[in-house]
Amino acid sequence: MAGLLFVMTGSPYWTLKDGTRYPTGYWAEEFAAPYRALTEAGHRVVVATPGGVVPSLDPASLRPDMAGGAETALELEGVIRSAEELRRPIRLSEARLEDYDAVYFPGGHGPMEDLWCDADAGRLLTAALASGKPLAVVCHAPAAMLATRVRGVSPFAGYRVTAFTNDEEDAVGLAARARWLLEDELKELGVLFERGEMWQPYTVVDRNLYTGQNPASSAALAQELIKALA
């Protein structure tokens, strides 16, 4: 049995460029699909958030039209309700990489508010990348890579990475309202940005770094993690 650290946003909103607080948090599928797959495979999960706050679920992520249907939405909700780890997260500042065999960052728009500039997230990502342990990051969670910069340089520069694309952000109506766009900032960071078809599962593996483009990629990313942990 392996131990996995799920690093999650603690923010229930994302501040847009006009100052509006857009209600958000973590995306249901990006937590629930990997959590279910990994725990059913016998692995142990611990959740960490900035300050140890209980993470907020993006309410839109359980809408049937966003979750892939009413039945799927109910399944995701059931997984989330059963996950005791979500209700007792540890402080991200107290998370020790040596206690875990792999690290996973689920997305949602929340990381665009807090993890992108969280020093603890940056230190953990840097350490995990250097350790060789599997490090998985999906959708908007690669925003946390921006917190790894030291004097403008990130250890993720030169790595092949995917994440939520500008086209997908535009399709949900938020690109024009955002202070910055994730794809643009990751390219500025120096990663080799890759993309698949909009809304379809797409994952990229580069050394011990596993990234997924969008919510639909989270289940596939979990399977990559399970293979790496076998």
Side-chain angles (χ1 to χ4, degrees):
M1 179 181 73
L4 289 101
L5 181 68
F6 276 37
V7 179
M8 301 180 64
T9 178
S11 180
Y13 61 85
W14 176 30
T15 305
L16 303 177
K17 64 183 178 183
D18 65 357
T20 301
R21 288 186 170 185
Y22 178 78
T24 185
Y26 71 90
W27 197 258
E29 183 178 4
E30 296 172 35
F31 170 82
Y35 176 87
R36 177 167 54 188
L38 289 159
T39 55
E40 287 180 353
H43 301 308
R44 174 179 59 89
V45 167
V46 172
V47 171
T49 63
V53 301
V54 175
S56 296
L57 172 68
D58 188 322
S61 65
L62 285 180
R63 279 176 23 202
D65 61 317
M66 300 297 284
E71 184 176 344
T72 301
L74 286 172
E75 289 177 1
L76 294 174
E77 185 177 11
V79 172
I80 289 167
R81 288 184 181 276
S82 70
E84 288 294 326
E85 297 88 346
L86 275 175
R87 287 174 282 283
R88 44 182 175 82
I90 66 171
R91 292 177 177 270
L92 182 54
S93 60
E94 297 173 355
R96 304 190 313 162
L97 180 63
E98 56 266 33
D99 293 337
Y100 305 97
D101 301 291
V103 177
Y104 170 58
F105 280 66
H109 280 102
M112 302 281 282
E113 182 70 25
D114 59 358
L115 295 184
W116 78 274
C117 59
D118 187 282
D120 295 312
R123 284 193 291 269
L124 184 67
L125 281 170
T126 298
L129 192 69
S131 73
K133 295 179 178 181
L135 170 61
V137 195
V138 71
C139 199
H140 286 91
M145 294 178 188
L146 304 179
T148 67
R149 289 175 288 202
V150 177
R151 292 182 290 276
V153 178
S154 168
F156 288 87
Y159 274 78
R160 295 168 49 238
V161 168
T162 190
F164 204 68
T165 65
N166 289 354
D167 290 338
E168 287 168 317
E169 201 72 83
D170 186 56
V172 298
L174 291 170
R177 302 172 64 192
R179 291 177 295 171
W180 47 271
L181 295 175
L182 180 56
E183 179 182 338
D184 293 344
E185 291 298 316
L186 289 174
K187 289 176 178 177
E188 286 291 324
L189 198 68
V191 308
L192 306 175
F193 192 89
E194 300 184 9
R195 68 170 65 209
E197 187 178 346
M198 285 177 59
W199 313 125
Q200 297 304 307
Y202 185 75
T203 60
V204 173
V205 180
D206 188 348
R207 290 158 275 185
N208 65 314
L209 178 62
Y210 300 75
T211 52
Q213 179 173 318
N214 47 35
S217 307
S218 55
L221 204 62
Q223 292 306 314
E224 294 284 357
L225 271 180
I226 288 169
K227 286 191 292 184
L229 292 167

